[in-house]
Amino acid sequence: MDENTCKLLVKLAQEGQLSSLEKLISLGGSAEVQTVGSKHFGRSGDTLLHYAARKGHLDIMEYLITRIGTDVEVYNNDYKRPLHEAASMSHQACVSYLLREGAKVDSLKKADWTPLMMACTRRNLGVIRELLCHGADPALKNKDGWNSFHIACREGDPLVVQHLLVVAPDVWRAESKTRRTPLHTAAMHGCEEVVRILLERCGYAPGCTDSCGVTPFMDAVRNGHISVARLLLEKHQEGHTSTIKTLLELGADLHVRDKKGRTALHMACIGQHADTARTLLQLGLKDSEDACGTTAMQHARKPDVVRVFECGLPDPS
């Protein structure tokens, strides 16, 4: 099979031109038919089935599997199966077909990502439901310790998050290899509605920290998500009034420091978030030195952040 023929095969598969693809393959004779189904193309090592699944061409997928004999579990150089491709691009009909043809629902690609994890990056509830109905395990972790729920919380679709909690009520308990929870992930990415769901339906302890001593509140502050930070202060307190004092009075989350001695105010200034820094000062968090003797104010670079410390708000004491 020459280079031009290979390029044309890939083009036809990507464009969904089934009749032309059939004709080109048949011109090569029986030997061509036997080899084309398992042939890997380009640096990625994709097969024609990978290209068809990625583009959502169900008719070409059916042709390749039933007529050409392509293995439904064929994988490329990253160990991605056609199911990974279809799930990651939200092609529900293709996902359903591959599963009916025997594709393994929890197959692993490079870095241990499952099709369900890939689907959660696209926020397509239909595809996610299809995978779960065929036994996909949302608790499986990739090489970094993330499960599908971590990924869904990062993307911020409340319906997906709620559905995963219904199917697997304990899935929220997962921590990554650096002890980051789905709550950390949602807070870091400013997914306010997801944070609200997690606080209402899951049992996260106030002030839970990752391996670097960072709390979800600090994540929200550092990334300028002030509404999420306020929600963490207000709602997290409400769910634990029987075991802790009011967070706003005690300042448990407000004054927490990471392993480098940095407060939420340090994080806000490192990220150059003026509104966040102003709110923290108004809530009573005073500037102070971290473990290296650096104050939050010394991290201020943008003029509006510098002005926060020049407007007569509380200063270090």
Side-chain angles (χ1 to χ4, degrees):
M1 190 183 302
D2 60 45
E3 184 178 350
N4 288 334
T5 300
C6 288
K7 288 182 178 179
L8 184 55
L9 285 169
V10 170
K11 181 176 184 292
L12 294 174
Q14 289 178 321
E15 294 179 353
Q17 298 187 41
L18 177 58
S19 59
S20 299
L21 183 66
E22 286 181 289
K23 187 179 297 184
L24 180 60
I25 292 176
S26 64
L27 288 175
S30 58
E32 183 100 333
V33 172
Q34 291 176 355
T35 60
V36 73
S38 58
K39 182 172 178 57
H40 297 267
F41 299 84
R43 293 182 180 179
S44 64
D46 286 331
T47 65
L48 295 181
L49 187 56
H50 284 88
Y51 292 119
R54 188 179 301 140
K55 294 293 186 178
H57 299 312
L58 181 58
D59 55 349
I60 291 183
M61 290 174 56
E62 292 175 334
Y63 166 71
L64 291 170
I65 291 172
T66 61
R67 300 269 301 280
I68 301 299
T70 304
D71 183 0
V72 72
E73 282 294 292
V74 67
Y75 54 84
N76 66 11
N77 293 342
D78 286 332
Y79 300 100
K80 289 175 73 174
R81 275 70 168 179
L83 186 59
H84 285 100
E85 299 287 3
S88 68
M89 299 305 292
S90 298
H91 299 309
Q92 187 171 348
C94 295
V95 168
S96 300
Y97 174 72
L98 289 167
L99 291 170
R100 289 197 303 271
E101 290 296 315
K104 295 178 181 177
V105 72
D106 282 330
S107 56
L108 301 180
K109 79 169 192 71
K110 192 174 182 180
D112 296 338
W113 279 64
T114 66
L116 180 59
M117 292 175 189
M118 304 291 286
C120 285
T121 66
R122 290 288 180 171
R123 304 172 61 167
N124 188 305
L125 186 55
V127 171
I128 290 168
R129 280 179 169 170
E130 185 72 14
L131 291 165
L132 291 169
C133 285
H134 281 80
D137 185 355
L140 290 178
K141 294 185 176 184
N142 64 19
K143 73 175 183 64
D144 296 315
W146 280 39
N147 64 15
S148 296
F149 194 65
H150 276 95
I151 297 164
C153 289
R154 181 190 69 187
E155 297 304 317
D157 189 325
L159 294 178
V160 171
V161 169
Q162 288 172 328
H163 186 71
L164 287 171
L165 285 173
V166 169
V167 173
D170 290 330
V171 72
W172 63 271
R173 297 181 184 276
E175 291 183 347
S176 71
K177 289 186 176 179
T178 55
R179 291 180 50 201
R180 292 183 63 77
T181 67
L183 183 58
H184 281 88
T185 302
M188 178 180 181
H189 291 274
C191 303
E192 186 172 348
E193 286 306 307
V194 170
V195 168
R196 192 181 302 276
I197 292 169
L198 297 180
L199 295 179
E200 291 174 352
R201 299 184 57 174
C202 307
Y204 291 107
C208 57
T209 61
D210 64 12
S211 59
C212 293
V214 175
T215 67
F217 174 78
M218 294 175 75
D219 268 332
V221 168
R222 183 170 188 175
N223 288 279
H225 305 307
I226 191 61
S227 61
V228 173
R230 285 184 180 278
L231 180 62
L232 286 162
L233 284 173
E234 296 167 2
K235 296 295 183 182
H236 220 177
Q237 159 225 335
E238 293 174 5
H240 301 273
T241 52
S242 61
T243 57
I244 62 171
K245 296 180 180 180
T246 303
L247 283 175
L248 291 175
E249 294 176 354
L250 179 63
D253 276 359
L254 192 62
H255 295 89
V256 69
R257 293 175 181 266
D258 66 10
K259 289 186 176 181
K260 295 183 179 180
R262 298 175 301 187
T263 67
L265 187 59
H266 283 88
M267 299 295 196
C269 292
I270 290 171
Q272 305 302 309
H273 300 296
D275 289 342
T276 304
R278 184 180 298 105
T279 298
L280 288 168
L281 290 169
Q282 290 171 344
L283 286 172
L285 181 58
K286 297 181 179 181
D287 196 4
S288 59
E289 295 180 346
D290 62 16
C292 295
T294 304
T295 65
M297 184 170 64
Q298 289 174 288
H299 289 291
R301 296 291 181 270
K302 290 186 176 180
D304 56 341
V305 182
V306 173
R307 281 196 295 271
V308 169
F309 295 88
E310 297 175 342
C311 292
L313 290 170
D315 51 30
S317 61

